[in-house]
Amino acid sequence: MLQRLVFNRLLQQCLWGNPEPTRGLLCRFPTGLGAGHGSAWHRSKSTAVPDARERTLVAVKPDGVQRRLVGQIIQRFERRGFKLVGLKMLQVSEDLLSQHYCELKTKPFYPSLLRYMTSGPVVVMVWEGHNVVQTSRTMVGHTNPAEAQAGTVRGDFSVHVSRNVVHASDSLEGAQREIQLWFQGKDLLNWECCDQSSTSEA
Ligand code: UDP
Ligand code: MG
């Protein structure tokens, strides 16, 4: 109970206050707390924040940037009907990555994942739209490209799990956490897309 209270306070601070000191701390709480909070937050806000405002984080990883796939990946999300609300290219620090992949720290592939992800620039984006978290995961495809369907980004552009071109948040609460980790609130734009009523009901 106390743990959930502290978690909620930290998440609120991260969402609406100064996110810097709280980002790393959120990761140390059990996933269940985050999941519970995330869906409750989403439900409780669902009247104020229409579903069409759902957001997710997508990143073109260093192999995707090196292979000049950025344009094709952006095109897929635009073509599907999602709205780009944030975009930047950066050389990622180990510190940021260790927070981003905090759930994978004990995995045997973690050290090589960190080396790969810091080997060159990444292009990180926030996409908005109806059911964008789940749809993006479907568009990106299975983690292991050998199992990814043709037509997905990984299924079309990659062959090995260690070089799978793209990242997409895997849940609503994961998306919220990752967006706050990679972007300042001021760097995300609320803008009206002229075809909004043609791509979604909200
Ligand atoms: N990864 C890897 N080897 C593995 C599993 C994962 O190198 O056996 C890398 C891969 O780049 C993957 C990332 O670790 O995209 C994060 O793993 P996760 O299980 O979160 O997959 P994702 O959410 O990216 O599909
Ligand atoms: Mg993942």
Side-chain angles (χ1 to χ4, degrees), residues 58-61 63 73 77 116 140 153-154 164-168:
V58 174
V60 183
K61 295 178 176 182
D63 52 328
I73 292 166
F77 284 83
Y116 150 57
V140 160
V153 177
R154 288 166 172 169
N164 60 4
V165 175
V166 70
H167 166 84

Side-chain angles (χ1 to χ4, degrees), residues 136-154:
S136 298
R137 288 292 289 190
T138 307
M139 290 168 67
V140 160
H142 197 285
T143 303
N144 183 354
E147 294 180 48
Q149 300 276 327
T152 63
V153 177
R154 288 166 172 169

